[in-house]
């Protein structure tokens, strides 16, 4: 019994340490790294656009597939399964839009990504969305996770309600950036007719650049 108490205390301590390290190191380092990568990609788009632009729909499709995988991860949480379901279904539509390379579809998917760029951090609370990252960044999160799955002993779920949640915090943080990147790609593709299938480039739906007030 004494050993179990120590194991539970160690598990909780490790989880709290992970939260502290995420705040001190991971958020600034990981966030800065993603910004640098985004800047490099923008530079390549500006300097080597002819070589990069033809692959943009493929890049968008890969991002959508990645989001689908992340949505499955979110389904295995008590705080993220509802958002995970939505992100997964919209990611399926994103893959379809990317593979068909039709402007209307890609433009609509860009709007969806723009919406989730504000919804995931909790800026759409009027619609019931809360900060997804913060929901996994509380000391009480493991207890809520255990109650959700019906466990009473912390040592029963060290992976599911402690290690898994710590892993998902990093994944969700990256997911926030992915929404902005996908929204930008979708808009760039539709506005510039870049990366479109040759057969669809001139007849691929609404020409948004020609819409006037």
């Amino acid at each position: 019994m004494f050993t179990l108490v120590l194991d539970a205390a160690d598990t909780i301590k490790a989880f709290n340490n992970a939260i502290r390290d995420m705040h001190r190191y991971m958020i600034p380092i990981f966030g800065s790294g993603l910004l640098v990568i985004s800047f490099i990609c923008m530079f390549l788009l500006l300097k080597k656009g002819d070589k990069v632009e033809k692959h943009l729909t493929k890049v968008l499709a890969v991002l959508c597939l990645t989001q689908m995988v992340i949505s499955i991860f979110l389904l295995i949480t008590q705080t993220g399964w509802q958002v995970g379901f939505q992100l997964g279904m919209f990611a399926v539509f994103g893959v379809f839009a990317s593979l068909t390379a039709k402007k209307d579809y890609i433009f609509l998917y860009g709007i969806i990504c723009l919406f989730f760029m504000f919804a995931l951090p909790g800026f759409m609370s009027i619609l019931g969305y809360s900060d997804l990252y913060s929901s996994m960044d509380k000391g009480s999160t493991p207890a809520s996770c255990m109650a959700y799955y019906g466990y009473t002993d912390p040592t029963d779920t060290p992976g599911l309600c402690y290690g898994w949640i710590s892993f998902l915090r990093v994944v969700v943080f990256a997911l926030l950036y992915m929404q902005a990147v996908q929204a930008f790609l979708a808009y760039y593709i539709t506005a510039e007719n870049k990366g479109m299938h040759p057969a669809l480039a001139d007849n691929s739906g609404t020409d948004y650049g020609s819409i006037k007030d």
Side-chain angles (χ1 to χ4, degrees), residues 11-22 26 30 76-78 133 135-138 141-142 145 157-173:
T11 301
I12 295 172
K13 182 179 179 181
F15 183 82
N16 291 331
N17 288 340
I19 292 178
R20 181 198 63 195
D21 292 340
M22 187 74 179
M26 184 59 75
F30 192 30
I76 316 175
T77 63
Q78 84 286 1
Y133 177 85
S135 69
M136 302 180 183
D137 197 47
K138 301 176 182 177
T141 299
C145 175
T157 61
L160 182 61
C161 292
Y162 290 89
W164 182 247
I165 298 298
S166 296
F167 164 71
L168 283 183
R169 281 202 301 273
V170 180
V171 172
V172 168
F173 191 73

Side-chain angles (χ1 to χ4, degrees), residues 1-9:
M1 177 65 69
F2 183 68
T3 303
L4 290 177
V5 172
L6 287 179
D7 290 341

Side-chain angles (χ1 to χ4, degrees), residues 29-138:
I29 294 174
F30 192 30
S32 299
L34 291 173
L35 286 174
V36 170
I37 293 174
S38 300
F39 180 81
I40 293 174
C41 292
M42 181 195 70
F43 184 81
L44 290 175
L45 194 60
L46 290 173
K47 295 298 183 180
K48 298 185 178 181
D50 294 339
K51 295 181 179 180
V52 175
E53 288 169 348
K54 61 183 179 181
H55 301 296
L56 291 182
T57 52
K58 297 177 183 178
V59 173
L60 183 60
V62 170
L63 290 173
C64 293
L65 289 171
T66 303
Q67 182 170 306
M68 286 177 58
V69 174
I70 293 176
S71 71
I72 296 174
F73 291 166
L74 292 175
L75 292 176
I76 316 175
T77 63
Q78 84 286 1
T79 59
W81 69 269
Q82 292 173 315
V83 175
F85 172 77
Q86 296 178 52
L87 290 173
M89 293 304 297
F90 286 127
V92 172
F93 173 71
V95 173
F96 173 78
S98 302
L99 295 181
T100 58
K102 295 198 69 173
K103 289 177 65 174
D104 287 339
Y105 297 155
I106 295 177
F107 186 78
L108 177 58
Y109 183 68
I111 293 176
I112 294 171
C113 292
L114 186 64
F115 170 80
F116 276 107
M117 187 178 74
F118 292 98
L120 293 181
F123 296 123
M124 291 290 184
S125 57
I126 191 173
L127 297 178
Y129 289 92
S130 58
D131 187 347
L132 182 60
Y133 177 85
S134 294
S135 69
M136 302 180 183
D137 197 47
K138 301 176 182 177

